[in-house]
């Protein structure tokens, strides 16, 4: 039913196709799948007159098709089978014909067509497609635009439902040319003198905040599609070049324990200690910094709302490892911190470092991991392969990647990122007066929530009568999110959203133990559109198990580094007249 929900005109497509002998010169009807949703489209075969026909008829088609979904499941299956057989019989000949006389394009020409104004072109296996008309009438059009001017393959890998023959046949209707040989094989040559020359491949959906070092977040529109964030679009926060680590030569050193320096291989870490798995959300301290920049410019990457993601992590408990090598009351009496040092280094050889309080590191309920798996697979290079620290409930900056050394110490890490960064200050503190020693390093993060749908500046249809609002919510320190309030009138009236704790809505995850709610909650709600409203100011705010809630505005929490941004998230959308209003 979720697939059918977004395709009001599904049944009528088949009626129109049955009239194809009459309409084939002007409109090609097609059924497509994108991001798990079925959608209907009518494609003009080209020319200004045909485009006008398309534009004039589309509203009438959409209105006429509304409400015809009942009983279409069997028709859908039968018709898809018929179309698949029919298209398969002619596709080979079509491809040969098209390949022989269609234009040849370069990648540079394709990348110029990356918006609705310039046309939306995409490539797939060396062919070029103009999908502009399809975008205009597809419910998930904003997600199709992620591939505009580039390749479809990375997105179809993310949304595997596209890997079906009939989808490829539908795509073939939009084919306008092929890539030239040089473009098809083109690869950027690596500069051996560039410390970033060996960086891993990244998913093109990521919105890049900096290339060197690489920092990027997924589009907000897809962030809440999955409770467990796919590793390829999990936000990337690197401070230095990604190190290339040989797993066979890898050693993890541990200092500050009675037996002297310990050196563990990757295989020893995996074999000597029980494997423990948790689901935990990581959030950058600068998540939503862009909203602070709107108040007053800050220094730091201009993160949107998606510098946060959720994954399953597996590895050895830090507690088990430390206890195994002699940690006990005598060490605890002297030490207060556990320092972590990464294998990523700057040009001076200085490694990224951070630390957490000792009590957090050795707590039986703290679930601090020396993780070697993410979402059931080896850690990806960008996320710390072969071993990283995962400190659930704590700011991402302390979750050190490419872990090379652990030090049990009476001192905090002396790293720049522990001593002179990732700290919060008064709105009145500026770079002339700041004293980084006067503020503690951020550890647990405050309550947070944000709206992932609808997007700022988009429109909702009044005839739908309701607006669907989606988002995420999370709180640091293991505090569980217990409620998300949503308003569509700027905070005058409020509605309580439905919370989701897994990707299976019918099988929610059991409640976490008190103080160990490490994972976010996704939420969704359908809110009535106020009568005569021309614009909606959608607002969300979350409440955790300690009844902490978010501040209503950004200005009182503004700080020179733009961290800890957690005010009510606000999105403004227009209310457009629906087809029912135009009757």
């Amino acid at each position: 039913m979720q697939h059918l929900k977004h395709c009001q005109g599904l049944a009528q497509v088949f009626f129109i196709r049955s009239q194809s002998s009459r309409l084939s010169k002007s409109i090609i009807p097609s059924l497509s799948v994108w991001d798990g949703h079925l959608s209907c489209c009518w494609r003009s075969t080209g020319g200004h007159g045909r485009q006008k026909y398309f534009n004039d008829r589309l509203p009438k088609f959409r209105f006429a098709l509304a409400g015809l979904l009942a009983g279409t499941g069997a028709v859908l299956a039968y018709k898809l089978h018929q179309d698949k057989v029919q298209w398969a019989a002619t596709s080979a000949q079509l491809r040969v014909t098209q390949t022989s006389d269609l234009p040849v394009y370069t990648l540079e020409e394709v990348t110029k067509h990356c918006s609705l104004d310039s046309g939306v072109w995409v490539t797939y296996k060396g062919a070029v497609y103009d999908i502009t008309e399809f975008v205009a009438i597809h419910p998930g059009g904003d997600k199709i635009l992620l591939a505009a001017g580039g390749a479809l393959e990375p997105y179809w890998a993310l949304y595997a439902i596209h890997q079906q023959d009939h989808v490829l046949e539908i795509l073939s209707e939009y084919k306008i040319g092929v890539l030239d040989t040089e473009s098809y094989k083109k690869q950027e040559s690596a500069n051996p003198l560039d410390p970033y020359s060996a960086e891993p491949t990244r998913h093109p959906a990521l919105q890049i905040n900096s290339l060197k070092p690489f920092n990027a977040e997924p589009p907000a529109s897809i962030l809440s599609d999955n409770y467990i964030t796919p590793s390829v679009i999990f936000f990337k926060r690197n401070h230095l070049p990604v190190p290339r680590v040989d797993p066979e030569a890898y050693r993890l050193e541990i200092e500050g324990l009675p037996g002297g320096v310990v050196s563990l291989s990757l295989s020893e870490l995996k074999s000597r200690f029980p494997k423990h798995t948790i689901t935990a959300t990581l959030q950058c301290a600068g998540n939503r910094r862009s909203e602070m920049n709107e108040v007053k410019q800050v220094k730091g990457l201009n993160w949107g709302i998606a510098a946060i993601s959720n994954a399953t992590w597996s590895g050895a408990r830090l507690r088990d490892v430390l206890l195994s090598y002699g940690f006990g009351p005598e060490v605890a009496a002297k030490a207060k911190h556990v320092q972590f040092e990464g294998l990523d280094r700057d040009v001076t050889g200085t490694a990224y470092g951070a630390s957490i309080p000792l009590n957090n590191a050795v707590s039986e309920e703290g679930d601090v991991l020396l993780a070697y798996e993410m979402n059931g697979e080896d850690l990806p290079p960008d996320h710390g392969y072969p071993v990283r620290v995962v400190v659930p409930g704590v700011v991402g900056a302390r979750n050190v990647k490419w872990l090379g050394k652990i030090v049990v110490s009476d001192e905090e890490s002396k790293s720049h990122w522990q001593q002179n960064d990732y700290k919060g200050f008064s709105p009145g503190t500026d770079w002339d007066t700041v004293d980084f020693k006067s503020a503690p390093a951020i550890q647990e993060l405050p309550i947070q929530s944000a709206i992932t749908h609808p997007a700022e500046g988009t429109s909702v249809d009044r005839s739908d009568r309701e607006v669907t609002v989606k988002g995420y919510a999370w709180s640091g320190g293991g505090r569980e999110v217990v409620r998300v309030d949503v308003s569509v009138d700027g905070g005058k009236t409020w509605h309580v959203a439905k919370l989701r704790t897994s990707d299976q809505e019918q099988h929610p995850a059991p409640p976490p133990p008190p103080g160990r709610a490490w994972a976010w909650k996704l939420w969704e709600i359908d809110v009535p559109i106020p009568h005569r409203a021309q614009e909606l100011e959608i607002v969300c705010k979350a409440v955790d198990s300690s009844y902490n809630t978010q501040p209503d505005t950004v200005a009182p929490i503004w700080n020179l580094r733009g961290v800890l941004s957690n005010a009510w998230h606000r999105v403004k959308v227009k209310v457009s007249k629906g087809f029912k209003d135009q009757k």
Side-chain angles (χ1 to χ4, degrees):
M1 289 306 296
Q2 183 64 28
H3 292 323
L4 298 181
K5 179 180 178 182
H6 299 276
C7 184
Q8 293 182 328
L10 186 59
Q12 191 67 7
V13 170
F14 307 130
F15 169 78
I16 297 173
R17 178 169 286 282
S18 71
Q19 310 300 318
S20 59
S21 61
R22 182 161 54 87
L23 297 178
S24 60
K25 300 280 175 128
S26 56
I27 296 178
I28 300 175
S30 34
L31 173 69
S32 186
V33 184
W34 187 269
D35 185 28
H37 304 306
L38 294 173
S39 64
C40 305
C41 66
W42 294 265
R43 178 178 178 267
S44 167
T45 56
H48 297 292
R50 298 186 185 95
Q51 182 65 52
K52 183 177 186 302
Y53 183 98
F54 170 83
N55 291 335
D56 290 345
R57 298 303 192 273
L58 179 58
K60 297 178 182 178
F61 282 149
R62 286 191 58 187
F63 178 70
L65 299 180
L68 294 179
L69 282 177
T72 59
V75 179
L76 168 62
Y78 174 71
K79 195 60 185 177
L80 281 181
H81 174 72
Q82 278 193 322
D83 288 345
K84 183 176 177 180
V85 172
Q86 179 182 349
W87 288 331
T90 59
S91 61
Q93 183 176 356
L94 282 172
R95 277 191 287 267
V96 170
T97 302
Q98 291 173 337
T99 302
S100 63
D101 59 9
L102 287 179
V104 177
Y105 297 101
T106 65
L107 279 176
E108 288 73 18
E109 290 174 304
V110 173
T111 57
K112 293 177 181 177
H113 297 273
C114 57
S115 69
L116 291 174
D117 291 334
S118 61
V120 179
W121 291 13
V122 296
T123 66
Y124 183 72
K125 294 188 180 298
V128 181
Y129 304 87
D130 181 351
I131 62 169
T132 310
E133 294 172 5
F134 181 68
V135 173
I137 57 175
H138 192 284
D142 57 339
K143 296 181 182 178
I144 297 176
L145 289 173
L146 296 173
L152 280 175
E153 284 91 337
Y155 303 93
W156 284 16
L158 183 59
Y159 296 106
I161 195 170
H162 295 86
Q163 306 301 328
Q164 303 180 59
D165 290 343
H166 73 273
V167 178
L168 296 175
E169 295 296 344
I170 293 165
L171 179 65
S172 70
E173 296 183 7
Y174 296 89
K175 187 173 180 179
I176 60 170
V178 294
L179 287 174
D180 71 301
T181 303
E182 183 179 353
S183 291
Y184 189 47
K185 297 180 178 180
K186 185 177 181 181
Q187 293 182 349
E188 293 184 359
S189 58
N191 181 356
L193 300 178
D194 183 354
Y196 290 93
S197 62
E199 294 284 284
T201 301
R202 278 87 180 214
H203 199 283
L206 293 170
Q207 297 177 342
I208 299 172
N209 284 316
S210 74
L211 277 172
K212 298 178 181 182
F214 188 81
N215 290 280
E217 59 189 300
S221 61
I222 64 176
L223 180 62
S224 59
D225 282 358
N226 300 281
Y227 180 73
I228 301 297
T229 311
S231 302
V232 293
I233 61 167
F234 196 104
F235 83 96
K236 311 289 190 282
R237 178 62 177 111
N238 297 334
H239 296 81
L240 300 165
V242 175
R244 301 185 70 176
V245 184
D246 179 357
E248 297 299 322
Y250 172 78
R251 309 295 297 187
L252 172 61
E253 294 186 354
I254 305 174
E255 300 178 3
L257 297 176
V261 177
V262 174
S263 181
L264 273 174
S265 69
L266 179 60
S267 61
E268 289 170 336
L269 183 65
K270 291 181 177 181
S271 61
R272 291 185 182 180
F273 305 98
K275 182 179 179 179
H276 184 62
T277 299
I278 62 172
T279 300
T281 296
L282 297 187
Q283 180 181 201
C284 178
N287 189 35
R288 299 180 60 192
R289 181 179 282 134
S290 58
E291 294 165 57
M292 287 197 172
N293 275 324
E294 293 176 2
V295 174
K296 181 182 177 182
Q297 193 69 31
V298 302
K299 291 186 179 180
L301 297 171
N302 195 41
W303 294 106
I305 67 168
I308 182 173
S309 301
N310 191 49
T312 58
W313 310 92
S314 298
R317 291 179 188 261
L318 176 58
R319 167 187 167 85
D320 293 343
V321 175
L322 295 181
L323 289 175
S324 175
Y325 291 105
F327 177 84
E330 292 183 1
V331 177
K334 301 178 181 178
K336 296 180 181 179
H337 306 274
V338 176
Q339 303 174 8
F340 306 115
E341 186 177 294
L343 296 173
D344 49 333
R345 299 178 181 275
D346 63 18
V347 293
T348 69
T350 302
Y352 181 86
S355 61
I356 61 174
L358 176 65
N359 289 341
N360 193 355
V362 299
S363 169
E364 188 171 0
E365 298 181 346
D367 288 327
V368 179
L369 294 186
L370 304 181
Y372 44 77
E373 289 183 5
M374 178 183 186
N375 292 341
E377 299 178 345
D378 289 345
L379 290 173
D382 264 320
H383 295 291
Y385 180 81
V387 177
R388 72 171 298 166
V389 183
V390 173
V391 190
V394 167
V395 64
R398 314 301 168 213
N399 291 251
V400 175
K401 299 185 285 189
W402 313 291
L403 185 64
K405 183 185 291 186
I406 299 173
V407 181
V408 179
S409 173
D410 62 342
E411 295 182 324
E412 270 191 325
S413 168
K414 295 188 179 300
S415 164
H416 162 82
W417 293 278
Q418 186 79 20
Q419 298 298 326
N420 298 307
D421 203 352
Y422 298 121
K423 294 183 176 183
F425 295 94
S426 164
T429 301
D430 59 29
W431 287 100
D432 294 326
T433 60
V434 64
D435 175 11
F436 276 93
K437 301 298 182 185
S438 68
I442 299 170
Q443 294 286 341
E444 297 178 0
L445 286 173
I447 182 72
Q448 176 69 279
S449 71
I451 299 161
T452 59
H453 175 84
E456 174 75 24
T458 57
S459 296
V460 297
D461 196 324
R462 185 185 304 281
S463 65
D464 291 336
R465 303 191 185 282
E466 293 181 327
V467 55
T468 298
V469 188
K470 302 178 183 180
Y472 66 78
W474 180 76
S475 191
R479 294 177 290 273
E480 183 178 8
V481 172
V482 296
R483 195 180 78 236
V484 173
D485 298 326
V486 179
S487 172
V488 297
D489 55 14
K492 296 177 182 177
T493 59
W494 296 93
H495 310 264
V496 178
K498 180 181 178 181
L499 304 179
R500 179 156 65 91
T501 57
S502 75
D503 278 324
Q504 302 296 324
E505 294 189 28
Q506 304 302 320
H507 302 283
R516 297 171 73 181
W518 309 130
W520 67 9
K521 291 186 178 180
L522 302 182
W523 53 265
E524 182 174 346
I525 186 172
D526 295 327
V527 183
I529 298 174
H531 184 58
R532 294 184 179 179
Q534 302 298 310
E535 182 181 70
L536 304 180
E537 183 181 8
I538 306 175
V539 184
C540 72
K541 61 182 178 73
V543 180
D544 68 20
S545 54
S546 295
Y547 285 97
N548 297 308
T549 191
Q550 300 169 248
D552 58 348
T553 56
V554 176
I557 59 171
W558 184 94
N559 58 87
L560 78 172
R561 279 292 283 118
V563 294
L564 306 170
S565 182
N566 74 324
W568 295 359
H569 189 220
R570 300 169 185 268
V571 169
K572 291 184 178 180
V573 299
K574 299 293 184 182
V575 179
S576 62
K577 291 184 178 180
F579 299 116
K580 295 177 182 177
D581 297 316
Q582 298 175 7
K583 289 184 62 177

